[in-house]
Amino acid sequence: MHIPDIHSFFKSDLHVLSEVTYPAKTILLEEGKVSDKMFLVKNGALRVFFYQDGKELTLEFITENQAVSSFNSFLNGTRSEFIIETLESSTVYEMHVDVFHKLMEGREFQQTFHPLFYRRFSEINNRLVSFIKDSPQKRYEQLLKDRPELLLRFPQHYIASYLGITSVSLSRIRNRR
C-alpha cells in the first residue's frame, strides 16, 4: 500500500506511530505469528516472503512511503502465512492494531485509508492474474515498466523469486532484451 507522504497523511497524529530503525535482515513478522503491527516505511526496504519446498518465494518488496502487514492476520487475528524482513537498514513507523482500529472509528481516517486499501487489493489482484495468465517474460517486462528501481536495488535471486522463476531463467530473459 502506497502512502503518499507519511507526515502529511498523519498530520498531527504521528504520536500514534512508533518510529523504529532496524538493521538489514531483521525479521519483523514471523510466519505463523499473529500480526499486531502495520509497518509504514520511512526509508529502507522490506521484503514479504515465505518458504515452499525449502525455497524462498518473494511476494513483494515494500519501499519508502509504502505500508505492509500480514493484513489478513492484522485485521482478523489469524496467523500470518508469510515473513516480513528488512532487506536494508530501514526506518519504519509502526502502528499497533489497537491504534489502527481506534483510528478507523474516525470518519476522516476511514476516508483516507479505504482508498489506499482498495488500491492495494487491486494491485494484489493484478499480480495474481498476471501469475496465471502472463509468461515470465511478460511479468519481467511489467516489473521493468512499473518498478524499474527494484531491478537495480535488489539482488537477482530476490527478483527471480518475485517473478516466480529461477535466477538462470531471469538471466536468459535479461539477455534476450
Side-chain angles (χ1 to χ4, degrees):
M1 174 176 11
H2 187 288
I3 307 291
D5 175 15
I6 292 169
H7 292 284
S8 64
F9 179 74
F10 283 98
K11 299 175 186 130
S12 62
D13 289 332
L14 269 176
H15 68 277
V16 302
L17 306 173
S18 301
E19 184 177 327
V20 184
T21 300
Y22 293 101
K25 297 295 188 181
T26 301
I27 302 295
L28 302 181
L29 176 64
E30 295 178 28
E31 184 176 359
K33 301 284 184 180
V34 175
S35 177
D36 63 352
K37 294 177 187 164
M38 180 185 305
F39 304 97
L40 299 97
V41 179
K42 181 178 179 183
N43 59 56
L46 312 179
R47 178 173 74 118
V48 178
F49 72 101
F50 62 94
Y51 290 98
Q52 182 176 9
D53 300 327
K55 295 180 187 172
E56 289 183 5
L57 300 176
T58 300
L59 293 173
E60 59 189 322
F61 299 104
I62 308 300
T63 57
E64 290 79 9
N65 293 315
Q66 291 184 306
V68 69
S69 184
S70 174
F71 289 109
N72 188 42
S73 177
F74 184 77
L75 296 172
N76 300 313
T78 60
R79 293 173 187 242
S80 175
E81 296 179 351
F82 51 78
I83 301 159
I84 301 174
E85 78 167 340
T86 60
L87 287 177
E88 307 166 348
S89 176
S90 301
T91 300
V92 299
Y93 294 108
E94 297 179 352
M95 181 187 302
H96 195 273
V97 67
D98 295 337
V99 171
F100 176 80
H101 286 300
K102 180 79 172 147
L103 289 172
M104 283 300 285
E105 292 173 9
R107 188 160 180 75
E108 183 180 348
F109 190 78
Q110 286 179 20
Q111 289 175 335
T112 303
F113 232 77
H114 280 154
L116 297 172
F117 273 119
Y118 295 146
R119 186 172 63 216
R120 182 69 188 120
F121 290 124
S122 176
E123 291 168 356
I124 291 168
N125 182 69
N126 291 341
R127 185 155 155 73
L128 174 64
V129 169
S130 176
F131 262 85
I132 294 168
K133 75 176 209 170
D134 294 337
S135 68
Q137 175 79 34
K138 179 134 186 198
R139 289 195 301 270
Y140 175 78
E141 289 169 1
Q142 194 64 47
L143 179 62
L144 194 57
K145 178 183 168 200
D146 294 343
R147 296 188 74 191
E149 74 282 359
L150 298 181
L151 298 168
L152 301 172
R153 193 167 181 178
F154 304 121
Q156 181 168 311
H157 66 280
Y158 288 152
I159 300 296
S161 170
Y162 177 74
L163 294 170
I165 59 178
T166 66
S167 293
V168 171
S169 294
L170 178 56
S171 289
R172 286 186 189 130
I173 289 170
R174 284 180 164 173
N175 288 335
R176 283 186 220 140
R177 294 190 49 83

